[in-house]
Amino acid sequence: MDLYHALSQDMIPITPKLVEIATSCDLCGCCDTQCHFVTGMRPLPVMKALKQLVRDRLQTGTPPTQVDPDPDLEVLQAVLGSRWVTNDPAVLLTYANDPYPLAGMCMPRFVAMPGTKNEVASLVRVALDRDIPYVVRGNGGSVFGFVFSQGLVIDMNRMKGIQIDLENWTAVVEPGVTAFELQQEAVRHGLRANTAEPAATVCGNIVCTGLFSTWANVYGVNADHFVDMEFVDSKGDFFRLNQSKAPNAFCFEHRLKDAPGICTQARVRLHPMTADEEGLIIPFETFEEAAAFARDLSQRRIGLALGVLGGHYLSTFMSPSAELADRVRSGLVQSLGLEYAVLMIGDSYAREAVISMGISVIDQDLFRMLMLGLPRLADGEWLDLVAGLDSEQPPYEILFSPEMRPLLEAVLQPGPETAAQAVEMDLRPFYTKLYARPEMTDMVWLTMFRIVSARMSRHKHMFAFLIYVPLHRVEVITGICTELERIAHDHGIQADFGFLTPLDLGKRAILEYDYYLDHQNPLDAEKIGRARLEFEPYLDGLSASTPGVKWLKYIFSQGCARKEAFLYT
Ligand SMILES: Cc1cc2nc3c(=O)[nH]c(=O)nc-3n(C[C@H](O)[C@H](O)[C@H](O)COP(=O)(O)OP(=O)(O)OC[C@H]3O[C@@H](n4cnc5c(N)ncnc54)[C@H](O)[C@@H]3O)c2cc1C
């Protein structure tokens, strides 16, 4: 889409690479379904239009513009070969933009894709010798304007090695390996990797955000994830964190810091799974109740992945379309009173413990029924009927009670076809096939692979606040949410609670609160720019003064730090 836009606006000429890109696409449509699943968008018509535009321009008889020779390019190509370094504007453009509303477009001079760690080190030395600024890029999934450079972008996507070491419960991964790829490989060996965003590279994710997710409850964050990591420093020399003379990346400093270097390899931890793991969702009417419950479970070591989710998260993750997510959201909250829920993945003992507490739960079977009947769940009429029941109990308790299951099944008619009704007609066969796969409604699989999480940015770009918080002080957490909501409201920004996951036996937690912006609307960029003048000093002040509060802004690039160093200062 960026390419079509740039070409139609004459930001780039027709170049040899652009012709290659346009002609090599056979319009198979694979990208259309993938992209729709995650973003709700359809790239195929844009690709067709790009092919046509390139064809039309070439028919005028003008040959593709050859790219200018550049002595720096020749030296870089001497390291990697001409195939893996380019200054073709059509390629550069695809590395020049992301949806972060506060960063403009930034065209690099070169993009290089090293294939080995020695090539990474050589690139760094060339960049140093020739004074070329550079940035390392995993998959560009951070979408915070981090992976732009006016010089060289070093894209790690060719370095895809994964070696599983069963004796040592570890995997050695290269920096191009994504969370999804590692998880797939770990599962093949009957193990689990602690990964976050599926498209994120494992190495980049550790270095950048310290890799948090609902599994952080048991597997931790930051230095908890790895046994050792290897880096190339700014001089092009290697070091490993396990060397006695290595820079101390385990320590945390309360300031903005650069990464220790380019990570070329990480030995990450793998974890055992048991065959009886399943998910439970426990609904609550208030945030305070849900947070106290999650803390209690964490403190008692009940469950594995654990998180308080808001109605927005739940409905967005579950729904095949943004429009349905909106309708479900209002149904869940307004009609059923289900404002918050605790998600727990646990073994049979953990689930028995929770069920024995006598509270209302959504178990795996009911979850599957709800997910596959989602378009009908959103139907206002029967939700109003449930909400109108004259009872002391919250409506969701009645609806989710075991006696109601046959009725629920009859009304929802759950099935892949029902779920697929949420999308446009021509996509329904694809969605029907997809939702027929058992993993697509399995809470354990969905929580491990997190392929639905990118849907968060489907209706608008997400500007996420991630803040470590003291979980025994719920008033601090609600105070942060209230203040972020107030700031958003004052600046006309849509905002919502994301999730809260206990850490370190419920002593601390990580909170996500989200702002939503239309990144293509300059007015929204202005809004967030003004809001920043309020939220930055507020979160900076709290991070400096309140024990247990630490805004992720200070953890960026310090993901190798020990969590104890920033959670207890
Ligand atoms: C919808 C959405 C959901 C998300 N959910 C989560 C989540 O649950 N948990 C979480 O932890 N994060 C989450 N993130 C953030 C994102 O996953 C991380 O920022 C992750 O690092 C992105 O990985 P990447 O490979 O795409 O990194 P990039 O965006 O390519 O790079 C991110 C940063 O890491 C640096 N970097 C990349 N590779 C290396 C390397 N090999 N060595 C040194 N530095 C490197 C880059 O220079 C850059 O500063 C989410 C993001 C989105 C958009």
Side-chain angles (χ1 to χ4, degrees):
M1 296 196 189
D2 281 352
L3 265 183
Y4 180 82
H5 176 249
L7 184 61
S8 62
Q9 301 291 309
D10 289 326
M11 287 159 64
I12 55 167
I14 300 271
T15 66
K17 283 284 173 205
L18 184 52
V19 175
E20 195 182 318
I21 292 165
T23 50
S24 62
C25 171
D26 64 1
L27 299 175
C28 73
C30 191
C31 59
D32 226 29
T33 44
Q34 284 179 350
C35 192
H36 188 273
F37 181 82
V38 175
T39 66
M41 288 193 282
R42 312 279 302 260
L44 194 62
V46 187
M47 196 61 205
K48 278 185 188 158
L50 179 70
K51 280 171 90 70
Q52 188 59 47
L53 192 55
V54 171
R55 215 177 293 135
D56 292 348
R57 297 263 175 109
L58 288 177
Q59 267 171 7
T60 62
T62 327
T65 307
Q66 291 303 321
V67 183
D68 294 338
D70 182 324
D72 285 340
L73 180 71
E74 282 163 26
V75 181
L76 291 166
Q77 286 185 332
V79 176
L80 294 195
S82 58
R83 183 165 176 213
W84 299 114
V85 191
T86 185
N87 64 347
D88 188 306
V91 176
L92 301 183
L93 184 106
T94 61
Y95 289 84
N97 210 357
D98 79 15
Y100 184 58
L102 292 175
M105 207 168 184
C106 176
M107 279 286 265
R109 272 178 75 201
F110 316 106
V111 171
M113 295 185 78
T116 65
K117 62 184 192 178
N118 288 330
E119 287 180 352
V120 176
S122 303
L123 283 175
V124 169
R125 277 185 230 117
V126 170
L128 188 67
D129 279 357
R130 304 182 77 86
D131 212 12
I132 305 171
Y134 67 88
V135 73
V136 54
R137 175 186 163 113
N139 235 347
S142 50
V143 293
F144 259 92
F146 288 146
V147 286
F148 300 155
S149 169
Q150 289 179 336
L152 168 68
V153 175
I154 304 178
D155 178 338
M156 309 303 273
N157 251 281
R158 279 174 69 213
M159 297 179 65
K160 288 279 188 195
I162 307 178
Q163 279 175 336
I164 303 281
D165 178 353
L166 290 177
E167 282 299 312
N168 283 311
W169 297 90
T170 54
V172 177
V173 291
E174 289 192 330
V177 173
T178 64
F180 192 83
E181 289 163 342
L182 175 61
Q183 194 68 274
Q184 266 185 320
E185 194 55 28
V187 168
R188 245 177 240 134
H189 290 82
L191 300 172
R192 166 179 297 128
N194 185 26
T195 55
E197 193 46 25
T201 58
V202 177
C203 295
N205 207 165
I206 294 175
V207 174
C208 172
T209 54
L211 202 163
F212 54 84
S213 75
T214 47
W215 299 98
N217 174 50
V218 283
Y219 303 139
V221 289
N222 289 52
D224 296 331
H225 299 315
F226 59 86
V227 174
D228 198 4
M229 286 176 92
E230 179 189 68
F231 286 91
V232 171
D233 69 14
S234 55
K235 296 205 167 72
D237 295 326
F238 289 98
F239 68 88
R240 304 190 78 93
L241 295 185
N242 228 4
Q243 269 167 232
S244 58
K245 292 202 171 136
N248 184 6
F250 296 108
C251 98
F252 169 77
E253 290 179 67
H254 187 83
R255 67 183 179 93
L256 300 178
K257 257 181 84 174
D258 289 336
I262 301 180
C263 173
T264 45
Q265 194 185 75
R267 180 179 280 271
V268 296
R269 300 170 70 174
L270 297 176
H271 306 281
M273 297 190 284
T274 58
D276 58 347
E277 288 178 4
E278 252 182 48
L280 275 187
I281 291 177
I282 306 108
F284 290 93
E285 282 178 286
T286 68
F287 177 77
E288 284 79 359
E289 286 173 298
F293 184 74
R295 177 172 165 236
D296 193 41
L297 292 189
S298 182
Q299 202 168 302
R300 291 172 192 271
R301 298 170 192 245
I302 296 176
L304 300 164
L306 208 50
V308 177
L309 309 181
H312 179 71
Y313 245 61
L314 256 181
S315 54
T316 306
F317 278 23
M318 286 169 75
S319 173
S321 75
E323 183 269 327
L324 177 62
D326 263 0
R327 284 199 291 131
V328 170
R329 165 85 206 262
S330 50
L332 289 175
V333 175
Q334 281 148 25
S335 307
L336 298 184
L338 197 162
E339 182 81 50
Y340 296 97
V342 171
L343 164 78
M344 181 195 80
I345 305 295
D347 61 14
S348 51
Y349 298 102
R351 287 198 315 284
E352 271 169 37
V354 171
I355 289 166
S356 72
M357 294 172 191
I359 46 183
S360 171
V361 297
I362 299 173
D363 61 14
Q364 175 55 51
D365 285 345
L366 180 55
F367 177 77
R368 179 163 291 137
M369 197 188 285
L370 297 177
M371 202 166 164
L372 292 181
L374 211 59
R376 285 167 170 260
L377 182 74
D379 187 333
E381 265 176 44
W382 79 276
L383 282 174
D384 290 346
L385 196 76
V386 177
L389 292 175
D390 190 19
S391 165
E392 295 285 287
Q393 293 165 275
Y396 63 77
E397 280 194 12
I398 303 169
L399 186 73
F400 299 148
S401 65
E403 309 83 68
M404 288 289 276
R405 295 239 176 144
L407 176 67
L408 209 52
E409 176 129 32
V411 176
L412 296 184
Q413 295 181 16
E417 292 83 3
T418 309
Q421 281 170 19
V423 299
E424 294 102 85
M425 199 64 96
D426 66 319
L427 287 171
R428 286 186 192 171
F430 165 74
Y431 273 84
T432 303
K433 218 166 130 198
L434 187 71
Y435 280 95
R437 290 164 65 162
E439 67 267 27
M440 287 307 301
T441 48
D442 175 0
M443 278 193 255
V444 180
W445 193 91
L446 290 173
T447 309
M448 272 172 73
F449 283 91
R450 301 187 73 244
I451 59 159
V452 283
S453 67
R455 285 179 167 173
M456 291 305 293
S457 298
R458 194 170 38 184
H459 71 301
K460 273 186 183 179
H461 180 60
M462 183 178 76
F463 188 100
F465 294 93
L466 287 141
I467 307 153
Y468 286 92
V469 287
L471 190 47
H472 63 292
R473 295 186 59 194
V474 177
E475 78 287 356
V476 171
I477 307 172
T478 50
I480 293 172
C481 294
T482 308
E483 184 58 5
L484 288 178
E485 187 182 9
R486 181 202 61 78
I487 295 170
H489 186 259
D490 284 357
H491 295 279
I493 297 170
Q494 192 189 338
D496 224 314
F497 166 76
F499 74 89
L500 177 81
T501 283
L503 281 171
D504 214 9
L505 296 172
K507 286 172 273 186
R508 298 291 189 243
I510 182 153
L511 165 73
E512 176 170 330
Y513 193 89
D514 301 310
Y515 283 6
Y516 290 94
L517 300 153
D518 178 350
H519 60 281
Q520 290 178 319
N521 182 346
L523 290 178
D524 274 24
E526 277 174 31
K527 284 181 193 168
I528 193 80
R530 281 195 298 270
R532 190 186 200 172
L533 301 175
E534 293 191 53
F535 64 65
E536 280 221 341
Y538 167 67
L539 291 174
D540 278 351
L542 270 184
S543 297
S545 65
T546 313
V549 174
K550 200 68 69 190
W551 184 16
L552 198 77
K553 170 182 161 187
Y554 294 108
I555 315 227
F556 274 132
S557 301
Q558 299 198 58
C560 300
R562 290 172 66 236
K563 68 177 185 315
E564 290 73 8
F566 57 85
L567 288 183
Y568 300 97
T569 52

